[in-house]
Amino acid sequence: MSTETTDATEAQQKWKPPPEGCPCWVEIPARDTEALKAFYGAIFPSWEWRPAQSAEDQSKVQHYSFAEPKGLSGGIVQMPEGCAPTEQTMGSGMTVYYLVDSLDDMEKRIHECGGSTCLGKTPESSHGWFMNFRDPEGNRFGCYEFRRS
């Protein structure tokens, strides 16, 4: 048994599901899981990448966990053969927002890593600002910056 498989098995055994109603998985579709792993790893260095649960799974799912809240994880998942990317237009579907220290810095990193902006910096009441981006596969996601006092 490989160390990677053993590590994955141990991680599975230690994992405790979050309470009912809490987010438990954030799935990001990709044609090239390794390339999208590199993109998100570059823009969010706090994500912890985990080994696949099997050798077959390695090319299909790139597993990650968030630093906080503990237990929330996700995967960059290989799209089925023949499934073309779609452009999720603003206002359609769900959007996951990631907290960032600076939207301006994040926007620069996203562009350097091959992503794009689809909604510029927008104020949200008196709490902060948000922006929407697309990763290199066309998936839309948001980032939020709290207003500092």
Side-chain angles (χ1 to χ4, degrees):
M1 184 187 293
S2 76
T3 304
E4 203 168 88
T5 304
T6 302
D7 291 346
T9 303
E10 288 175 17
Q12 265 185 310
Q13 292 170 348
K14 291 179 184 177
W15 183 78
K16 300 286 185 240
E20 183 176 3
C22 292
C24 63
W25 178 260
V26 177
E27 187 169 289
I28 304 169
R31 290 180 306 276
D32 184 341
T33 61
E34 284 290 331
L36 214 52
K37 175 183 176 181
F39 173 81
Y40 281 102
I43 67 169
F44 296 126
S46 68
W47 288 16
E48 179 182 312
W49 298 93
R50 299 189 323 254
Q53 296 173 9
S54 69
E56 178 188 338
D57 200 26
Q58 183 62 49
S59 65
K60 295 180 181 175
V61 182
Q62 302 296 325
H63 294 268
Y64 61 89
S65 294
F66 299 99
E68 290 293 333
K70 285 288 185 209
L72 181 55
S73 63
I76 296 173
V77 179
Q78 178 72 47
M79 293 169 59
E81 194 67 36
C83 183
T86 60
E87 187 169 302
Q88 183 186 0
T89 58
M90 295 297 300
S92 68
M94 295 177 62
T95 306
V96 176
Y97 283 83
Y98 303 103
L99 185 63
V100 298
D101 290 331
S102 166
L103 284 170
D104 297 329
D105 292 346
M106 180 54 67
E107 182 177 34
K108 182 179 178 200
R109 276 202 326 252
I110 288 169
H111 286 233
E112 289 170 351
C113 294
S116 61
T117 302
C118 57
L119 177 67
K121 195 172 186 177
T122 305
E124 188 272 321
S125 69
S126 61
H127 300 291
W129 304 268
F130 64 93
M131 293 178 77
N132 275 210
F133 301 98
R134 289 195 199 294
D135 68 23
E137 292 272 352
N139 300 301
R140 184 170 54 82
F141 64 97
C143 290
Y144 189 90
E145 176 186 338
F146 277 108
R147 185 180 311 272
R148 291 174 178 69
S149 307

